[in-house]
Amino acid sequence: MMVAHPRPLLVILLQLLLSCLPALGYSSNRFFYQDILNGNGNGEIHFNGVKLHVDSSQPSVFALRGSNATLSCRYWYEPELSSPRRVRVKWSWLPIVGGHETDVLVAIGPRIHSFGDFRDRVHLRQDSPGDASLVMTELQLNDTGRYRCEVIDGLEDKSATVNLELRGVVFPYQPPHGRYNLTYHDAQQVCQEQDSTLATFEQLFQAWEEGLDWCNAGWLADGTVQYPITKSRSPCGGLGLAPGVRSYGRRHRHLHRYDAFCFSSSLRGKVYYLQLPQKVNLTEAQQACFNDGAQIAKVGQLYVAWRFMGLNHCDAGWLADGSLRYPITKPSRNCGPLEPGVRSFGFPPPYQKHGVYCYSAVHNPKQMAGSGELQECSTPVFLNLWSVDRHLSQGCY
């Protein structure tokens, strides 16, 4: 009985294996992969001298509420591949106040899915091969934070981050019932009611650099309590303490009570002083704005109109929260302190008669009349000294 020699069989097997190497994905760029998903070269990848890179050309992007922004992200391989690969692109968002990352968008090839509040507001630019930039539309106040662009190719996972910051205005806020009456969650709510959000430390710091001086401590978005001082004085940390942003650190969000620092950004519409034949009380002011095709303006809207639209009007008017304020961009002798700001006269009794500031989401030619500067001022009946101007306050306790 004869037994076949094993060597010829081994040679045949080796020849078959070598003939199959091109089909398994061996290429001249020293790159070997095996598709474990669908057999078309888009599955798991084993790198051999090939590296995946992800980068952003802009580490920070600045924008306004309601505008669009593009967060850059690009990926590429070194050495360059001879054919494109299907990768998974994932954008996530970490709020500026911290917490957990939230999914914004996931894309695999032509399939794209957006999540939560970002749904239908985000898409990939894809202007060129490797372009994974995120295009965001209709930016909202809470969109600020750190965005992470993650590109996944098989076992390879690389990412880059981009910070999105909104330009706007920070303003201190006290409720009608007086100073230091807001828990953290109360502060969140009152800012939201005034078309704003709790300011971040970065936003407050920038406002301090621009001259904001306010001695009453207020909540920030991260749960800390701070206040900005440009002019050192005894009630505000002492004369010996250099100007800066004073901090009480993190406080108990339910037990401790302070004021709030709110942040607002650009407007789609217009804030204007409504010309009326006579002064009105708060209820009449609300109705007058409604009759004019508008609504009574909120505090955040007035600050934005003052800061970004140059609203300058010396007559005090009702706002939605029941406060009485007026914006000055060009100080004059008859209109309060000789510096720009939003003057406030606190919360007078709602039966008193004053003017009113309205907000309209649509520009109306009728509203343009009388909405600009006035050389003469009307004197409000009620005066609350702690809030005469955005840069002035009467001390911390």
Side-chain angles (χ1 to χ4, degrees):
M1 182 177 178
M2 299 181 62
V3 179
H5 199 281
R7 286 186 60 83
L9 180 60
L10 179 60
V11 171
I12 293 173
L13 290 174
L14 287 174
Q15 290 175 339
L16 289 173
L17 180 61
L18 290 173
S19 66
C20 292
L21 280 178
L24 289 175
Y26 180 79
S27 66
S28 59
N29 59 9
R30 302 185 63 212
F31 174 73
F32 176 82
Y33 65 85
Q34 177 187 11
D35 190 343
I36 62 172
L37 294 180
N38 52 25
N40 62 2
N42 292 314
E44 185 176 4
I45 179 171
H46 301 281
F47 284 95
N48 183 14
V50 175
K51 292 184 178 181
L52 171 67
H53 296 271
V54 177
D55 194 18
S56 173
S57 61
Q58 288 181 289
S60 294
V61 173
F62 299 89
L64 293 172
R65 175 176 58 175
S67 66
N68 301 338
T70 299
L71 311 187
S72 67
C73 180
R74 176 178 172 266
Y75 68 92
W76 70 97
Y77 298 92
E78 289 183 353
E80 184 177 353
L81 301 182
S82 57
S83 60
R85 293 186 50 78
R86 189 182 68 180
V87 299
R88 181 174 184 261
V89 176
K90 176 183 175 182
W91 278 93
S92 56
W93 168 64
L94 180 66
I96 198 167
V97 298
H100 299 290
E101 277 194 347
T102 300
D103 288 344
V104 174
L105 175 147
V106 172
I108 303 177
R111 294 177 295 170
I112 299 177
H113 184 74
S114 54
F115 300 91
D117 291 338
F118 298 98
R119 189 182 302 274
D120 300 326
R121 291 199 299 124
V122 294
H123 63 272
L124 293 183
R125 186 172 61 183
Q126 296 180 316
D127 280 353
S128 59
D131 183 12
S133 300
L134 182 71
V135 178
M136 304 181 65
T137 62
E138 293 291 331
L139 289 177
Q140 301 174 3
L141 288 176
N142 292 324
D143 285 343
T144 56
R146 187 187 70 193
Y147 289 78
R148 185 159 68 99
C149 172
E150 183 180 13
V151 179
I152 303 168
D153 189 341
L155 298 179
E156 286 293 302
D157 183 342
K158 302 293 183 181
S159 64
T161 59
V162 183
N163 291 316
L164 175 63
E165 300 182 37
L166 294 188
R167 295 298 194 192
V169 58
V170 173
F171 59 94
Y173 190 83
Q174 290 182 356
H177 45 281
R179 177 175 174 269
Y180 288 1
N181 271 290
L182 301 174
T183 66
Y184 175 80
H185 300 288
D186 293 336
Q188 284 183 314
Q189 181 176 347
V190 298
C191 287
Q192 184 176 3
E193 290 171 352
Q194 300 311 313
D195 194 43
S196 60
T197 186
L198 272 178
T200 65
F201 171 77
E202 289 77 11
Q203 291 162 349
L204 181 65
F205 186 83
Q206 181 177 349
W208 169 75
E209 289 185 314
E210 295 171 352
L212 179 59
D213 183 278
W214 193 261
C215 195
N216 295 329
W219 290 103
L220 295 182
D222 61 358
T224 61
V225 174
Q226 311 196 36
Y227 63 100
I229 296 297
T230 60
K231 302 172 185 177
S232 299
R233 51 196 184 273
S234 296
C236 307
L239 293 171
L241 195 60
V245 177
R246 317 274 197 250
S247 177
Y248 290 177
R250 294 187 182 275
R251 311 302 287 173
H252 197 288
R253 299 190 179 196
H254 300 285
L255 298 180
H256 293 141
R257 294 176 181 270
Y258 296 94
D259 294 341
F261 285 102
C262 303
F263 171 84
S264 192
S265 189
S266 66
L267 297 174
R268 286 290 189 178
K270 177 180 179 61
V271 174
Y272 62 99
Y273 182 84
L274 181 62
Q275 295 292 343
L276 295 171
Q278 59 186 11
K279 302 298 183 183
V280 292
N281 62 35
L282 179 58
T283 301
E284 293 168 340
Q286 294 168 335
Q287 185 63 43
C289 288
F290 178 79
N291 293 343
D292 203 52
Q295 60 187 8
I296 190 168
K298 299 178 179 180
V299 178
Q301 293 167 344
L302 185 67
Y303 268 94
V304 170
W306 164 76
R307 177 66 181 272
F308 293 105
M309 301 177 182
L311 184 60
N312 183 87
H313 197 95
C314 199
D315 283 297
W318 290 109
L319 295 180
D321 64 340
S323 65
L324 193 67
R325 307 173 193 251
Y326 65 98
I328 295 296
T329 57
K330 300 177 181 179
S332 63
R333 184 178 56 185
N334 298 324
C335 298
L338 296 179
E339 58 181 358
V342 174
R343 322 292 195 220
S344 173
F345 296 94
F347 298 86
Y351 57 81
Q352 288 188 359
K353 303 282 188 174
H354 301 286
V356 60
Y357 286 93
C358 303
Y359 169 75
S360 174
V362 180
H363 288 263
N364 185 340
K366 181 176 67 172
Q367 297 163 357
M368 298 297 290
S371 63
E373 301 178 23
L374 290 182
Q375 296 303 317
E376 298 296 326
C377 306
S378 62
T379 303
V381 176
F382 183 81
L383 182 62
N384 186 346
L385 290 178
W386 65 260
S387 56
V388 170
D389 185 81
R390 71 181 280 266
H391 292 316
L392 301 177
S393 60
Q394 298 303 310
C396 295
Y397 302 92

mmCIF file of all heavy atoms in Angstrom, residues 148-165:
data_model
loop_
_atom_site.group_PDB
_atom_site.id
_atom_site.type_symbol
_atom_site.label_atom_id
_atom_site.label_comp_id
_atom_site.label_asym_id
_atom_site.label_seq_id
_atom_site.Cartn_x
_atom_site.Cartn_y
_atom_site.Cartn_z
ATOM 1 N N ARG A 148 -16.951 67.880 19.877
ATOM 2 C CA ARG A 148 -15.901 66.909 19.533
ATOM 3 C C ARG A 148 -16.256 66.216 18.228
ATOM 4 O O ARG A 148 -17.347 65.662 18.077
ATOM 5 C CB ARG A 148 -15.732 65.885 20.636
ATOM 6 C CG ARG A 148 -14.568 64.920 20.392
ATOM 7 C CD ARG A 148 -14.118 64.293 21.698
ATOM 8 N NE ARG A 148 -15.123 63.410 22.241
ATOM 9 C CZ ARG A 148 -15.109 62.082 22.112
ATOM 10 N NH1 ARG A 148 -14.105 61.498 21.460
ATOM 11 N NH2 ARG A 148 -16.046 61.349 22.634
ATOM 12 N N CYS A 149 -15.322 66.278 17.285
ATOM 13 C CA CYS A 149 -15.454 65.582 16.000
ATOM 14 C C CYS A 149 -14.655 64.284 16.086
ATOM 15 O O CYS A 149 -13.429 64.304 16.224
ATOM 16 C CB CYS A 149 -14.919 66.470 14.874
ATOM 17 S SG CYS A 149 -14.799 65.645 13.265
ATOM 18 N N GLU A 150 -15.346 63.170 15.997
ATOM 19 C CA GLU A 150 -14.708 61.857 16.129
ATOM 20 C C GLU A 150 -14.868 61.083 14.820
ATOM 21 O O GLU A 150 -15.976 60.963 14.292
ATOM 22 C CB GLU A 150 -15.360 61.094 17.278
ATOM 23 C CG GLU A 150 -14.750 59.741 17.569
ATOM 24 C CD GLU A 150 -15.448 59.049 18.728
ATOM 25 O OE1 GLU A 150 -16.537 59.510 19.126
ATOM 26 O OE2 GLU A 150 -14.907 58.050 19.229
ATOM 27 N N VAL A 151 -13.758 60.589 14.302
ATOM 28 C CA VAL A 151 -13.767 59.803 13.068
ATOM 29 C C VAL A 151 -13.323 58.385 13.403
ATOM 30 O O VAL A 151 -12.262 58.186 14.012
ATOM 31 C CB VAL A 151 -12.848 60.418 11.998
ATOM 32 C CG1 VAL A 151 -12.858 59.569 10.728
ATOM 33 C CG2 VAL A 151 -13.291 61.845 11.685
ATOM 34 N N ILE A 152 -14.138 57.420 13.016
ATOM 35 C CA ILE A 152 -13.882 56.016 13.350
ATOM 36 C C ILE A 152 -13.755 55.217 12.065
ATOM 37 O O ILE A 152 -14.644 55.246 11.207
ATOM 38 C CB ILE A 152 -15.030 55.442 14.210
ATOM 39 C CG1 ILE A 152 -15.212 56.294 15.478
ATOM 40 C CG2 ILE A 152 -14.767 53.993 14.574
ATOM 41 C CD1 ILE A 152 -16.479 55.983 16.240
ATOM 42 N N ASP A 153 -12.645 54.526 11.931
ATOM 43 C CA ASP A 153 -12.404 53.646 10.789
ATOM 44 C C ASP A 153 -11.948 52.309 11.350
ATOM 45 O O ASP A 153 -10.777 52.123 11.689
ATOM 46 C CB ASP A 153 -11.353 54.246 9.857
ATOM 47 C CG ASP A 153 -11.231 53.460 8.553
ATOM 48 O OD1 ASP A 153 -11.671 52.300 8.515
ATOM 49 O OD2 ASP A 153 -10.710 54.012 7.571
ATOM 50 N N GLY A 154 -12.881 51.387 11.456
ATOM 51 C CA GLY A 154 -12.546 50.105 12.052
ATOM 52 C C GLY A 154 -12.134 50.266 13.498
ATOM 53 O O GLY A 154 -12.885 50.789 14.325
ATOM 54 N N LEU A 155 -10.903 49.852 13.817
ATOM 55 C CA LEU A 155 -10.388 49.964 15.169
ATOM 56 C C LEU A 155 -9.733 51.307 15.439
ATOM 57 O O LEU A 155 -9.380 51.607 16.577
ATOM 58 C CB LEU A 155 -9.373 48.843 15.451
ATOM 59 C CG LEU A 155 -9.925 47.416 15.364
ATOM 60 C CD1 LEU A 155 -8.821 46.415 15.646
ATOM 61 C CD2 LEU A 155 -11.080 47.230 16.325
ATOM 62 N N GLU A 156 -9.551 52.110 14.398
ATOM 63 C CA GLU A 156 -8.936 53.422 14.561
ATOM 64 C C GLU A 156 -9.994 54.451 14.945
ATOM 65 O O GLU A 156 -11.081 54.499 14.361
ATOM 66 C CB GLU A 156 -8.247 53.853 13.269
ATOM 67 C CG GLU A 156 -6.948 53.099 13.002
ATOM 68 C CD GLU A 156 -5.879 53.451 14.020
ATOM 69 O OE1 GLU A 156 -5.536 54.634 14.128
ATOM 70 O OE2 GLU A 156 -5.391 52.539 14.694
ATOM 71 N N ASP A 157 -9.652 55.292 15.922
ATOM 72 C CA ASP A 157 -10.598 56.286 16.448
ATOM 73 C C ASP A 157 -9.807 57.540 16.807
ATOM 74 O O ASP A 157 -9.041 57.553 17.770
ATOM 75 C CB ASP A 157 -11.302 55.715 17.676
ATOM 76 C CG ASP A 157 -12.361 56.654 18.237
ATOM 77 O OD1 ASP A 157 -12.333 57.846 17.914
ATOM 78 O OD2 ASP A 157 -13.209 56.187 19.010
ATOM 79 N N LYS A 158 -9.986 58.603 16.023
ATOM 80 C CA LYS A 158 -9.289 59.861 16.277
ATOM 81 C C LYS A 158 -10.315 60.987 16.388
ATOM 82 O O LYS A 158 -11.400 60.911 15.815
ATOM 83 C CB LYS A 158 -8.298 60.177 15.146
ATOM 84 C CG LYS A 158 -7.238 59.104 14.920
ATOM 85 C CD LYS A 158 -6.286 59.001 16.095
ATOM 86 C CE LYS A 158 -5.200 57.978 15.820
ATOM 87 N NZ LYS A 158 -4.259 57.843 16.972
ATOM 88 N N SER A 159 -9.955 62.038 17.133
ATOM 89 C CA SER A 159 -10.913 63.131 17.320
ATOM 90 C C SER A 159 -10.202 64.472 17.459
ATOM 91 O O SER A 159 -9.003 64.545 17.731
ATOM 92 C CB SER A 159 -11.782 62.870 18.556
ATOM 93 O OG SER A 159 -10.993 62.870 19.730
ATOM 94 N N ALA A 160 -10.987 65.542 17.290
ATOM 95 C CA ALA A 160 -10.531 66.919 17.498
ATOM 96 C C ALA A 160 -11.682 67.689 18.118
ATOM 97 O O ALA A 160 -12.847 67.317 17.968
ATOM 98 C CB ALA A 160 -10.103 67.557 16.176
ATOM 99 N N THR A 161 -11.381 68.766 18.843
ATOM 100 C CA THR A 161 -12.417 69.527 19.523
ATOM 101 C C THR A 161 -12.445 70.972 19.021
ATOM 102 O O THR A 161 -11.417 71.525 18.598
ATOM 103 C CB THR A 161 -12.207 69.527 21.049
ATOM 104 O OG1 THR A 161 -10.930 70.097 21.360
ATOM 105 C CG2 THR A 161 -12.286 68.118 21.600
ATOM 106 N N VAL A 162 -13.632 71.560 19.079
ATOM 107 C CA VAL A 162 -13.854 72.955 18.694
ATOM 108 C C VAL A 162 -14.751 73.587 19.753
ATOM 109 O O VAL A 162 -15.768 73.004 20.135
ATOM 110 C CB VAL A 162 -14.525 73.079 17.315
ATOM 111 C CG1 VAL A 162 -14.675 74.542 16.927
ATOM 112 C CG2 VAL A 162 -13.735 72.319 16.259
ATOM 113 N N ASN A 163 -14.378 74.768 20.230
ATOM 114 C CA ASN A 163 -15.198 75.494 21.195
ATOM 115 C C ASN A 163 -16.090 76.487 20.456
ATOM 116 O O ASN A 163 -15.618 77.254 19.618
ATOM 117 C CB ASN A 163 -14.324 76.247 22.200
ATOM 118 C CG ASN A 163 -13.588 75.299 23.122
ATOM 119 O OD1 ASN A 163 -14.153 74.340 23.630
ATOM 120 N ND2 ASN A 163 -12.319 75.560 23.347
ATOM 121 N N LEU A 164 -17.376 76.473 20.794
ATOM 122 C CA LEU A 164 -18.318 77.427 20.226
ATOM 123 C C LEU A 164 -18.718 78.422 21.315
ATOM 124 O O LEU A 164 -19.184 78.029 22.384
ATOM 125 C CB LEU A 164 -19.561 76.716 19.698
ATOM 126 C CG LEU A 164 -20.682 77.625 19.192
ATOM 127 C CD1 LEU A 164 -20.215 78.443 17.988
ATOM 128 C CD2 LEU A 164 -21.932 76.818 18.846
ATOM 129 N N GLU A 165 -18.526 79.699 21.030
ATOM 130 C CA GLU A 165 -18.886 80.757 21.971
ATOM 131 C C GLU A 165 -19.792 81.764 21.269
ATOM 132 O O GLU A 165 -19.581 82.098 20.110
ATOM 133 C CB GLU A 165 -17.628 81.467 22.493
ATOM 134 C CG GLU A 165 -16.664 80.537 23.225
ATOM 135 C CD GLU A 165 -15.451 81.277 23.759
ATOM 136 O OE1 GLU A 165 -15.624 82.441 24.197
ATOM 137 O OE2 GLU A 165 -14.349 80.713 23.730
#
